[in-house]
Structures are given as C-alpha cells and as structure tokens.
C-alpha cells in the first residue's frame, strides 16, 4: 500500500499527523506539495512538488489554484500508472436518460 498526502504548504498539521502514523506502520508515502523543502516534502518517500500557486480568493487562502494544480498532476499520474499496469478497459455503457417535455 502507498499513502498519498496533499498539502499546498506542506506544513498542514493534520496532514503531517497522518504522515507520522503511516510511517509508524511502515506504509510508503508520496507527498504532493507546493514546496519540496517543506515538512511533507522531506518526510515522504517520494515528493511531487507542483510549485507554489497564489490562491484566487480575496484572502488568498481557499485552495483554488493549488487544488487545480494537484488535480492535474494527480490525473496525469493516474493515467501513467494505469498504462504501466496495463489495466483492461471495460466497455463503457451509457444509460439512456429520456426527458419528455410537453
């Protein structure tokens, strides 16, 4: 198993507490953070630094730009891992939703 932890600053107390718990039980960890030199970046087995991003809200604290950056990197990672593992692709089925208006 692998634990993936996300924190823009890399200093979020709750995330670092989870990291400590995972390390204690021997789980390998991947940290995704804005700063490689952060506590999260240094503490994980693998660090993916997505760069520091200025948040878009008026207080510059709501996870907006950083969340989008992490989502994009996470999506790319999922695609690469899926291709490497050669997961079979089941046929997609789309349910028919019919709307009738009068």
């Amino acid at each position: 198993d692998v634990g993936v932890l996300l924190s823009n600053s890399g200093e979020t107390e709750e995330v670092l507490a989870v990291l400590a718990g995972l390390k204690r039980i021997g789980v390998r960890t991947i940290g995704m953070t804005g700063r490689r030199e952060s506590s999260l970046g240094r503490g994980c087995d693998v660090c993916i630094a997505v760069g520091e991003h200025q948040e878009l809200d008026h207080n510059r604290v709501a996870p907006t730009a950083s969340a989008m950056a992490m989502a994009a990197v996470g999506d790319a990672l999922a695609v690469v891992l899926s291709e490497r593992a050669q997961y079979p692709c089941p046929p997609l089925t789309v349910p028919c939703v019919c709307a009738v208006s009068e």
Side-chain angles (χ1 to χ4, degrees), residues 24-61:
R24 196 168 32 257
I25 61 173
V27 174
R28 305 256 314 159
T29 55
I30 299 172
M32 195 179 305
T33 181
R35 300 180 310 114
R36 183 176 309 280
E37 67 280 356
S38 67
S39 297
L40 180 63
R42 290 189 321 269
C44 286
D45 297 303
V46 175
C47 176
I48 301 173
V50 298
E52 295 183 64
H53 297 84
Q54 186 176 38
E55 305 302 0
L56 303 176
D57 68 306
H58 68 285
N59 290 319
R60 304 287 187 236
V61 295

Side-chain angles (χ1 to χ4, degrees), residues 69-93:
M70 289 184 189
V73 172
D75 286 350
L77 184 60
V79 168
V80 169
L81 293 175
S82 176
E83 287 176 356
R84 282 195 175 180
Q86 297 182 342
Y87 286 123
C89 182
L92 297 176
T93 59

